[in-house]
Amino acid sequence: MADFKLPPLSDSTSGWGPVGLSSQFRDIPYAPYAKADKLGRIADWSAPEGTQGKDGRGTSGDQRGGRSNFRNFRDNYVPFGSNAANAFNYQHTEDEASFSVVDNRSTGQKKTTGFKSASNQRAGRGGFRQQGQQRSQFQRLGANRGGFGGARQQQGGQRGGRRGYGGWRDYDRNQRVRDASVKVAPDWTMLEEIEFSRLNKLQFEVDDPEDVALHGAIATYDKAYDRVTSKQEKPLHQVDQGRDNVTTSEDPILRNLSSKPIPEGEQHVFATDSIISVLMAATRSVYPWDIVITKTGNKVVFDTREGSQIDYVSVNENSTDPPMDTGDKDNINSPSALSLEATYINTNFAAQVVNTEQVVDLDNPNPFYDAEDDSAPLVGYRYRKFDLSTVAAEEENISLFIRTEVDAVIKSAQGEDSYITIKALNEFDPRAQGAGGAVDWRQKLDSQLGAVVATEMKNNSCKLARWIIQTMLAGADHLKLGFVSRANPKDNSRHAILRTLICRPKEFAQQMVLQFTNGWGIVKTVVDLALKLPDGKYVLVKDPNKPVIRLYSVPKSTFEEAEEEAEEPEAETA
């Protein structure tokens, strides 16, 4: 039997480590070791070269998306005596660092399906747009949004490809920074800030209003425009009769109502349907706006500034890729140019589709024109009173006076006259930036009217909501929508009427999930907030880049200088 002898053991009295080194280990560097240190891998070949830190975002770790090797570094620690272990690190030579593989073979483009396999650098959803048919199909739906659209498609395929899927990492694309509708001066004091999430929870019910006065004259709708199709379009003509957007404080009827003595215990609020519709559809708004509030005793007046954005019609405000301001003044597809064009179209369309030979005179003449003035537009003004009193609070008595508008009258099936409002949706260029994925109306409007309306409901949710609210406030039975397109996409001065559509406002509101109780809840909250304020002037501002509205206290002379400067050129022209 072979003998077994134990090797000699040396006891170190000074700590851990060898007592003496034999000749075979004499030239090998030694790193100190502590009992608390963990034993890791002798060699980790799965770690990418040059990786630093836990998330694997080193010089070469970024090639595989960074966090793919997070599991290999979750137990990172700093061992005892690590500074002395540098002798074990492998040092790259200069020649090896400059080494690269060169392949001169030509590679043919492979036909791929939508989703690549995991072995192909996890191309994932970023490489979804490789086929030509799919490219043309999804180009408009996701322009400039990563893998589905755009210019970052190849980068998405190389680095995981999840940049553009469903808005994931939406912060990575260029953000739209809009300017405020009014500049907040240093002497303004912010009193309240309300998020849209809080406004969405408000509810309030209002009873049917009562008519206070009827002014103006309205024409009968011309039913010949119901037979217009995209194949038999009619040109849109320019009408000499304009329509003035008179603010609340300059309306002679509302000014007369506000000048009357208010009974004790009552509180009166005055506004126009345009202002109230902005408040009721505030949670759908994206573009900035502002409303001037004046409190005097138990009376509150909601006004708009001269040239306020509220008086203009927006275009594709709610689109995922709305029109962008490039800084070019000649760009006809900028947000400001499209807004002016849409306002021009709505004014002329409402005046063109009526029969001026069949006019219905209301109880009183137009309050903004002389009775003998032939240039007065054919529009009816219904001044209505809404009760905003809370049933639980018996002492509260709040009345809201609103000037509403009706555009035409139409004969019902029973032969009775019913009021309607007339609005127009406009198409500028389905291939331009900001079109919102809209289809070509001349090709699809007659065959796919539902798809066109659904796209407009998505891209212009705020605008359509305001039109529905204005129709309901005026007590009109129908909303007549016109579809107007440019005669040439590159020319914003000539337009054609492609089709008309009549709809009931309540049914349309249900399709858009528009709750009037929520809108009245917002109005009630703003009115109660204004009535509790001391006498003075205030401005309610929608933040240009956040879903927030803010209430500021401003000096009484605010905006007066700008209004005087705007009146001086008009006087000189006259």
Side-chain angles (χ1 to χ4, degrees):
M1 182 176 181
D3 295 337
F4 176 74
K5 296 180 179 181
L6 293 173
L9 301 176
S10 300
D11 188 12
S12 178
T13 58
S14 60
W16 292 87
V19 177
L21 294 176
S22 61
S23 59
Q24 58 180 339
F25 302 121
R26 192 176 303 277
D27 297 330
I28 298 178
Y30 165 71
Y33 178 74
K35 292 179 67 174
D37 290 345
K38 296 181 180 180
L39 289 175
R41 302 177 179 87
I42 297 176
D44 189 2
W45 304 106
S46 64
E49 177 187 346
T51 303
Q52 299 176 0
K54 283 188 175 184
D55 58 351
R57 295 177 183 264
T59 57
S60 61
D62 200 28
Q63 295 176 358
R64 292 183 57 86
R67 295 184 63 89
S68 59
N69 297 308
F70 176 80
R71 57 183 177 83
N72 296 332
F73 302 96
R74 59 188 176 191
D75 295 331
N76 248 8
Y77 63 93
V78 180
F80 171 77
S82 61
N83 294 333
N86 293 332
F88 294 98
N89 293 341
Y90 178 73
Q91 302 294 332
H92 292 282
T93 62
E94 185 176 351
D95 294 339
E96 189 173 358
S98 61
F99 177 77
S100 61
V101 179
V102 178
D103 189 0
N104 294 326
R105 293 178 299 174
S106 60
T107 57
Q109 184 177 2
K110 297 180 180 180
K111 294 183 178 180
T112 61
T113 57
F115 296 90
K116 295 185 179 180
S117 61
S119 62
N120 194 4
Q121 290 189 356
R122 292 172 42 225
R125 301 179 181 93
F128 186 69
R129 298 262 327 283
Q130 299 297 325
Q131 296 182 353
Q133 294 180 352
Q134 293 171 341
R135 183 181 183 89
S136 62
Q137 181 178 359
F138 293 98
Q139 184 103 20
R140 296 189 299 270
L141 294 178
N144 300 326
R145 292 182 66 88
F148 272 123
R152 309 194 58 153
Q153 168 194 345
Q154 297 178 354
Q155 182 178 357
Q158 294 174 0
R159 297 190 57 184
R162 296 179 62 182
R163 290 183 177 271
Y165 180 72
W168 193 79
R169 290 193 67 172
D170 201 33
Y171 62 86
D172 199 36
R173 65 187 180 96
N174 295 331
Q175 298 294 326
R176 307 286 176 84
V177 180
R178 301 181 178 89
D179 296 332
S181 60
V182 60
K183 184 178 180 180
V184 178
D187 54 352
W188 291 17
T189 304
M190 189 178 71
L191 304 178
E192 193 75 24
E193 181 177 290
I194 309 176
E195 298 83 3
F196 283 4
S197 57
R198 294 168 56 189
L199 296 178
N200 280 322
K201 300 177 182 178
L202 301 175
Q203 299 288 330
F204 187 75
E205 293 186 1
V206 176
D207 296 333
D208 294 336
E210 60 175 289
D211 287 339
V212 177
L214 293 175
H215 288 261
I218 50 179
T220 305
Y221 173 74
D222 189 356
K223 293 187 177 181
Y225 285 88
D226 291 340
R227 297 187 291 269
V228 175
T229 63
S230 59
K231 306 300 181 182
Q232 300 177 349
E233 60 185 42
K234 285 190 176 183
L236 181 68
H237 303 296
Q238 183 176 358
V239 182
D240 295 335
Q241 295 178 349
R243 181 175 295 187
D244 298 327
N245 294 315
V246 182
T247 187
T248 308
S249 58
E250 297 179 359
D251 188 313
I253 307 302
L254 293 178
R255 187 187 304 170
N256 184 31
L257 292 173
S258 63
S259 62
K260 295 180 179 180
I262 301 177
E264 184 178 358
E266 294 186 9
Q267 294 171 314
H268 290 182
V269 183
F270 302 90
T272 63
D273 59 347
S274 180
I275 296 176
I276 297 299
S277 65
V278 169
L279 290 176
M280 295 181 72
T283 56
R284 296 173 181 254
S285 62
V286 178
Y287 291 160
W289 47 263
D290 59 275
I291 298 173
V292 181
I293 303 175
T294 305
K295 167 72 184 310
T296 307
N298 52 358
K299 179 181 64 177
V300 174
V301 178
F302 290 87
D303 273 317
T304 58
R305 296 181 297 106
E306 182 71 24
S308 173
Q309 187 64 30
I310 296 177
D311 297 331
Y312 295 90
V313 181
S314 63
V315 178
N316 289 359
E317 177 179 356
N318 302 96
S319 172
T320 55
D321 185 25
M324 183 170 52
D325 194 356
T326 59
D328 184 7
K329 296 182 180 180
D330 297 331
N331 183 14
I332 62 175
N333 295 330
S334 65
S336 57
L338 290 174
S339 180
L340 289 173
E341 181 183 357
T343 306
Y344 163 83
I345 290 175
N346 271 269
T347 303
N348 289 277
F349 178 78
Q352 181 175 339
V353 297
V354 294
N355 188 356
T356 56
E357 297 180 358
Q358 299 178 1
V359 179
V360 177
D361 293 325
L362 300 182
D363 298 342
N364 301 284
N366 193 313
F368 310 117
Y369 293 86
D370 295 333
E372 300 177 355
D373 193 351
D374 297 334
S375 62
L378 294 175
V379 57
Y381 299 100
R382 301 184 71 181
Y383 293 86
R384 317 189 82 190
K385 177 183 176 182
F386 294 82
D387 187 8
L388 297 184
S389 304
T390 306
V391 178
E394 297 180 356
E395 299 179 356
E396 186 182 57
N397 190 351
I398 303 175
S399 298
L400 173 62
F401 296 87
I402 304 178
R403 185 193 71 213
T404 64
E405 299 180 8
V406 290
D407 299 310
V409 69
I410 191 173
K411 293 288 184 180
S412 63
Q414 293 77 18
E416 300 178 354
D417 294 339
S418 60
Y419 296 122
I420 65 171
T421 57
I422 301 175
K423 306 295 180 181
L425 296 168
N426 65 297
E427 177 193 41
F428 54 100
D429 187 356
R431 298 176 182 84
Q433 186 277 331
V439 298
D440 192 340
W441 285 5
R442 283 181 169 82
Q443 296 181 2
K444 304 294 183 179
L445 190 58
D446 293 337
S447 60
Q448 300 181 11
L449 179 60
V452 173
V453 174
T455 303
E456 292 300 314
M457 290 169 60
K458 176 177 67 72
N459 294 337
N460 296 286
S461 175
C462 181
K463 177 171 67 175
L464 287 172
R466 287 188 58 190
W467 289 350
I468 295 173
I469 293 170
Q470 289 176 297
T471 304
M472 296 288 292
L473 292 176
D477 298 325
H478 297 90
L479 168 64
K480 176 67 71 171
L481 283 177
F483 296 85
V484 181
S485 177
R486 291 178 182 174
N488 185 346
K490 304 301 181 182
D491 185 6
N492 64 345
S493 61
R494 296 185 299 110
H495 302 83
I497 303 173
L498 304 183
R499 191 186 175 108
T500 59
L501 175 67
I502 192 167
C503 52
R504 298 182 181 275
K506 291 185 178 180
E507 297 177 357
F508 203 180
Q510 292 177 356
Q511 295 178 4
M512 295 189 61
V513 197
L514 178 63
Q515 298 181 356
F516 284 90
T517 54
N518 173 247
W520 281 118
I522 298 173
V523 174
K524 174 66 174 175
T525 301
V526 175
V527 168
D528 290 345
L529 186 62
L531 289 172
K532 295 178 182 178
L533 295 173
D535 292 358
K537 181 179 286 188
Y538 306 88
V539 180
L540 185 66
V541 180
K542 157 69 172 63
D543 190 279
N545 302 301
K546 297 179 182 179
V548 172
I549 58 175
R550 298 184 180 93
L551 181 64
Y552 293 90
S553 175
V554 301
K556 292 184 179 180
S557 59
T558 306
F559 306 130
E560 292 181 359
E561 296 179 357
E563 292 177 358
E564 292 177 357
E565 293 177 357
E567 292 176 358
E568 288 178 358
E570 294 179 0
E572 294 177 358
T573 304

